[in-house]
Amino acid sequence: MMAVLLLLSTVSFTVEKHFCGDVLIDVAVFSTIEKCASDAIDIDEDHVTKKTCCKDTLDVVEGQTQLTVKKFDDLDLDQQQFFISYIYAYNGLFTVLKKQTIPHQYYLSPQLIADIHLLDQVFLI
C-alpha cells in the first residue's frame, strides 16, 4: 500500500480540455482530445474568414520530484524505542508452536452391546 502511495505521489500528468464557447466538449488524460466541427474550417493565409470560439486548456498535475529518506538515526529516542518494540511484538506473532500431543488420540471406546437407556427405559425429556 505504501509503494502504491509513493508511486501515485510521484507521477505527473496533464489533463487536456476542449471548450466550445463555455461548454466543455472533451476531456483527455492519456489520449488526444477530439475537436469540434468549427475547428475544422480551413484558414487562408491571406485573411481569416471566421474567428473560432473554441479554446483548449491544459492542466498540469505535477508529482513530487524530491523525496525525503529518513534513516533510523534520524528518529528521536522515543520513536526508536517504539519502532523496536513494534518490530519485536510483530515478530512474536509468527512464532512456531510446538506440536501438541493429544492424550486420547488412540483411545478405543468399548463396544456397545445393548442400549442401556432403552433397556432401563430412561429417556431424556
Side-chain angles (χ1 to χ4, degrees):
M1 187 165 124
M2 292 294 284
V4 171
L5 181 65
L6 179 67
L7 178 70
L8 291 178
S9 68
T10 56
V11 171
S12 59
F13 56 94
T14 60
V15 178
E16 297 181 64
K17 296 179 185 176
H18 181 73
F19 291 96
C20 280
D22 291 333
V23 179
L24 178 64
I25 300 298
D26 192 21
V27 176
V29 177
F30 295 112
S31 61
T32 59
I33 56 175
E34 293 182 16
K35 307 232 178 199
C36 57
S38 66
D39 284 347
I41 298 174
D42 293 329
I43 299 174
D44 295 328
E45 293 179 8
D46 298 336
H47 65 292
V48 177
T49 57
K50 184 178 179 182
K51 187 176 182 181
T52 129
C53 63
C54 296
K55 63 180 178 179
D56 295 333
T57 61
L58 290 174
D59 295 330
V60 178
V61 179
E62 293 185 13
Q64 290 181 342
T65 56
Q66 295 179 355
L67 298 175
T68 58
V69 178
K70 289 195 172 190
K71 296 180 182 176
F72 186 74
D73 296 332
D74 295 339
L75 300 175
D76 295 336
L77 181 63
D78 294 336
Q79 292 173 340
Q80 289 177 357
Q81 288 176 347
F82 175 77
F83 185 68
I84 290 172
S85 62
Y86 180 78
I87 296 296
Y88 180 75
Y90 186 76
N91 285 337
L93 292 174
F94 301 107
T95 57
V96 179
L97 299 175
K98 292 189 273 183
K99 185 177 180 183
Q100 296 178 349
T101 58
I102 302 172
H104 56 279
Q105 182 177 4
Y106 300 110
Y107 174 74
L108 296 175
S109 61
Q111 292 185 354
L112 185 63
I113 298 172
D115 193 1
I116 302 294
H117 296 291
L118 188 61
L119 288 176
D120 295 337
Q121 298 207 0
V122 178
F123 304 106
L124 294 174
I125 298 176

